[in-house]
Amino acid sequence: MAINWFPGHMHKARKDIARIMSQVDVVIEVLDARIPYSSENPLVPNLRGETPCIKLLNKADLADPATTALWVQHMEQEQGVKAIPVSSKQPGQIRQLLQTCRDLTAGRNLEARNIQAMIMGIPNVGKSTLINILAGRKIAKTGDEAGVTKSQQRIKLDERIVLTDTPGFLWPKLNPPECGYRLAATGAIKDKVFEYEDVAAFLAAYLGPNYPLALQARYGLEEVPEEEIALLDAIGRARSCVRKGGGVDLAKVSSLLVNELQAGLLGPISLETPEMVVEEETRAQQEDAAKAKQKAEKDAARRERARKNRK
Ligand code: G4P
């Protein structure tokens, strides 16, 4: 999925965050629990360094609880990381975060000053909603659009904790390529930049083997076809997405599947597991290395031709 993010903006965000990071005691990284890997901004692990980090797996109400538990276990293997599944539908659970910030910074002699927390997240993970809950009032605009830059905000959450909202928006991870499809499927990438048919085919290929019961229950299918287009066809027929000639309207069934998944109508579903993303990362690295080798060979051949021509 070819999506370009404005490089000048990325550079500015990197600089702004790096500057603030030196004063930050704890990072709160908001992720989408359905896609905790794909919804991570690629800058964060590097910029965070040794700073303790709370990874909030938000929208846990939409994710598969068994997979979310695997993610918590996986993330907490990293030093200084606490992973917590949350849902803005349970604000009480989110307010407990203040205590977690105190716990993670205990023993660092911060009694004399406020605890500085910084919240980060790509658009649509629910960052604004969480900030409003934490602050107990409406602070940031919810339903933020990718590309809208907000100035840095500092919000006093209680007598000891000050929260800094990340300046500017953070772009999502688009490599390995599967990330782009998952971001589109969950609504983090808006529908202007992707084709529903592509995302629905990706989803059907994943949901068929991984969530057959959810598909059967939602669409009344007797069996779930293995092949993704056959599955979309079956869903299309079940939902009367049929053209005049009798063929399934692929565009219609595709947007139906994507929209119903986003609305949580298929039940709690996760789109990636730690095991899957390790494999995808390895494959993407191998592909990148093969491309770099091919380019180096082409360049060497070009230089050799030029050398012969000069003789
Ligand atoms: P952002 O600042 O990270 O861009 O995200 P924002 O808070 O604007 O939330 C994006 C969408 O996600 C909103 O829906 C919001 O209601 C929804 N959301 C946030 N947290 C949760 C959660 O824990 N569970 C679920 N199911 N949804 C959550 P929207 O349709 O864009 O807006 P609206 O319907 O709330 O008006």
Side-chain angles (χ1 to χ4, degrees):
M1 193 171 299
I3 299 165
N4 293 317
W5 297 81
F6 181 48
H9 180 93
M10 288 180 172
H11 180 64
K12 183 174 181 314
R14 181 195 299 269
K15 267 179 40 189
D16 287 349
I17 295 167
R19 183 171 41 77
I20 301 166
M21 193 62 90
S22 59
Q23 299 145 30
V24 168
D25 302 309
V26 55
V27 171
I28 301 171
E29 187 184 7
V30 188
L31 302 166
D32 184 322
R34 295 166 293 176
I35 50 168
Y37 172 78
S38 299
S39 59
E40 181 178 60
N41 171 266
L43 273 189
V44 175
N46 253 335
L47 287 178
R48 178 172 79 73
E50 305 277 292
T51 314
C53 179
I54 301 171
K55 288 185 187 267
L56 283 186
L57 302 175
N58 191 38
K59 306 197 185 186
D61 53 298
L62 298 174
D64 183 335
T67 308
T68 302
L70 291 178
W71 277 110
V72 169
Q73 209 180 26
H74 177 78
M75 288 173 167
E76 292 194 343
Q77 284 169 11
E78 199 184 330
Q79 185 73 21
V81 170
K82 176 95 188 123
I84 311 173
V86 291
S87 162
S88 60
K89 300 197 174 342
Q90 296 191 20
Q93 190 190 29
I94 290 161
R95 294 284 305 172
Q96 285 173 16
L97 198 65
L98 299 180
Q99 187 53 44
T100 314
C101 286
R102 286 196 196 89
D103 294 346
L104 276 178
T105 52
R108 293 184 52 210
N109 296 324
L110 298 180
E111 288 72 20
R113 62 166 176 85
N114 286 328
I115 297 171
Q116 302 290 336
M118 175 153 83
I119 191 159
M120 310 173 108
I122 65 164
N124 207 50
V125 285
K127 188 177 69 149
S128 311
T129 311
L130 293 177
I131 293 175
N132 291 344
I133 294 171
L134 285 168
R137 60 191 195 281
K138 193 167 165 102
I139 299 260
K141 177 173 74 87
T142 50
D144 215 353
E145 281 228 0
V148 176
T149 309
K150 287 187 295 185
S151 57
Q152 179 190 336
Q153 297 198 66
R154 288 164 72 83
I155 307 143
K156 196 145 170 65
L157 297 184
D158 68 5
E159 68 286 355
R160 286 224 41 224
I161 303 175
V162 177
L163 184 72
T164 302
D165 188 5
T166 334
F169 84 97
L170 290 176
W171 58 95
K173 197 182 276 170
L174 296 169
N175 191 35
E178 287 84 354
C179 294
Y181 288 104
R182 294 190 188 117
L183 287 157
T186 52
I189 295 179
K190 300 294 170 202
D191 54 8
K192 288 172 220 129
V193 291
F194 66 84
E195 298 290 338
Y196 272 106
E197 281 98 324
D198 291 346
V199 178
F202 176 85
L203 264 182
Y206 172 77
L207 295 175
N210 290 290
Y211 290 98
L213 298 180
L215 289 167
Q216 281 181 312
R218 179 73 195 159
Y219 301 111
L221 305 178
E222 272 179 26
E223 33 179 292
V224 175
E226 271 180 31
E227 202 271 323
E228 64 262 30
I229 299 301
L231 174 53
L232 288 175
D233 207 77
I235 297 173
R237 290 191 187 284
R239 283 308 187 82
S240 310
C241 303
V242 179
R243 292 184 192 280
K244 273 194 190 136
V248 163
D249 185 336
L250 195 60
K252 200 166 168 190
V253 67
S254 295
S255 63
L256 177 129
L257 178 63
V258 173
N259 288 325
E260 293 202 347
L261 179 98
Q262 285 180 7
L265 298 176
L266 279 84
I269 283 180
S270 295
L271 295 180
E272 61 194 15
T273 65
E275 202 182 346
M276 276 165 68
V277 301
V278 167
E279 267 177 42
E280 287 165 11
E281 251 183 359
T282 311
R283 194 169 4 95
Q285 278 162 7
Q286 285 165 349
E287 281 168 12
D288 287 350
K291 270 189 212 150
K293 186 166 171 258
Q294 222 175 26
K295 183 172 182 312
E297 283 168 2
K298 250 171 107 175
D299 288 349
R302 186 176 33 77
R303 279 196 297 274
E304 179 60 17
R305 273 197 311 273
R307 195 181 62 79
K308 282 187 180 149
N309 283 344
R310 278 198 299 273
K311 274 188 183 169

